Amino acid sequence: MGTTWNILIIVLFIIVFSLVILNIRMLKLIGRYIQFVESMKMGIPRNKQIEKIPNMVLQSDLNKEVTLNIDNNLEKDLLLIFISPNCSACKSLYPDLKNDLNGYKDVFTMIVSRGESEENQKYYDHFKNEGLNYVSDKNLFDKMGVYSFPYAMYVKKDKKILAQGHPGDSSFIYKMVEKNSAQSEKQLIG
C-alpha cells in the first residue's frame, strides 16, 4: 500500500507542476494581449512595415568605437532589435539575447532601447557582459516606425528589410537571422 501511495503522490505532483507551468505561460500571453490592447486604447499606432531603412548614424553606448553609418549600402547585413524598459515582453526576452548573435559573421547586431539611462541599466549591464552593441535612442523608434515592442528587423546590405516582426521569444530572432543571413535577395516582409 505504501508504494501505491508514493506513486499516486508523484503522479499528482507532476500534474500540479504541469498545471503551474501552463498557468505561467498563459499569464504571459494574457499580459502581452493586455499590453497590446492598452497601447491601442492610447492611440499608439501599430508598427509601420517599411521596406527600406533611412540613412542614419548609430553609435554604440557600450563601445564608443562602434559606429554604424547607414548611407547607400551596408558592409554587413543588419539585425535591429527594439526593446523598452517598461515592456514586460522585453524583460522576458533580453536575457536570452547572448553573445552568440555575434557569431554570425555577415550580420551586425544592434540592440536599440527606448527609455532613460536609469531605466536601461539592466539592459546596459546585460549587453555589456554579452558584448552586444547597444544604443538608447528614442528617435530611432520613430524613424523606423516602431511603436510597440519587442520588435526585430533583419536588413540586407542594400538597406532592404527582409524580415520584421514581434519576437515572442529569442528563438524568433535566431531563426530570423539563420533564415535570412544565408538567403539571397528574396524579400520576405511581414
Side-chain angles (χ1 to χ4, degrees):
M1 180 152 158
T3 306
T4 307
W5 280 105
N6 289 341
I7 292 172
L8 182 61
I9 290 172
I10 291 171
V11 169
L12 285 173
F13 176 77
I14 292 171
I15 292 171
V16 169
F17 183 74
S18 299
L19 289 174
V20 167
I21 297 295
L22 287 173
N23 282 333
I24 289 170
R25 289 188 178 192
M26 189 62 126
L27 288 173
K28 282 184 179 180
L29 288 174
I30 291 170
R32 288 182 185 164
Y33 177 74
I34 291 170
Q35 182 182 17
F36 173 75
V37 169
E38 289 299 318
S39 70
M40 296 312 290
K41 281 183 185 177
M42 293 176 9
I44 298 173
R46 295 189 66 165
N47 294 339
K48 294 187 283 188
Q49 296 263 318
I50 61 175
E51 293 186 23
K52 232 176 176 182
I53 62 172
N55 293 342
M56 64 183 110
V57 176
L58 298 175
Q59 184 177 24
S60 174
D61 289 355
L62 300 178
N63 182 354
K64 298 298 182 190
E65 294 175 11
V66 176
T67 302
L68 178 64
N69 291 310
I70 301 172
D71 44 23
N72 294 332
N73 286 317
L74 299 166
E75 292 179 24
K76 294 181 173 187
D77 291 355
L78 174 63
L79 173 64
L80 292 171
I81 303 170
F82 296 87
I83 57 177
S84 175
N86 300 324
C87 165
S88 60
C90 299
K91 288 177 185 175
S92 66
L93 173 71
Y94 88 88
D96 295 333
L97 300 176
K98 302 284 185 188
N99 191 5
D100 55 1
L101 279 170
N102 291 329
Y104 298 96
K105 300 296 181 208
D106 294 335
V107 181
F108 182 86
T109 302
M110 180 67 81
I111 313 293
V112 184
S113 181
R114 181 181 195 109
E116 300 304 320
S117 57
E118 309 84 52
E119 295 174 303
N120 287 321
Q121 193 61 46
K122 276 187 185 176
Y123 294 146
Y124 185 89
D125 293 341
H126 174 75
F127 296 125
K128 183 176 184 179
N129 292 337
E130 291 296 329
L132 290 169
N133 297 303
Y134 172 86
V135 64
S136 179
D137 186 348
K138 290 181 184 179
N139 296 328
L140 184 58
F141 282 73
D142 295 332
K143 284 182 189 175
M144 300 298 284
V146 175
Y147 301 104
S148 58
F149 343 96
Y151 200 72
M153 289 183 177
Y154 188 90
V155 183
K156 287 304 269 184
K157 293 177 186 178
D158 62 0
K159 298 188 346 178
K160 286 184 182 173
I161 299 172
L162 285 189
Q164 57 187 315
H166 294 281
D169 58 20
S170 61
S171 66
F172 175 94
I173 293 170
Y174 285 95
K175 286 176 187 173
M176 178 188 286
V177 173
E178 288 172 12
K179 181 177 182 180
N180 294 295
S181 64
Q183 195 175 48
S184 65
E185 294 300 313
K186 185 178 178 186
Q187 189 166 357
L188 298 170
I189 296 183

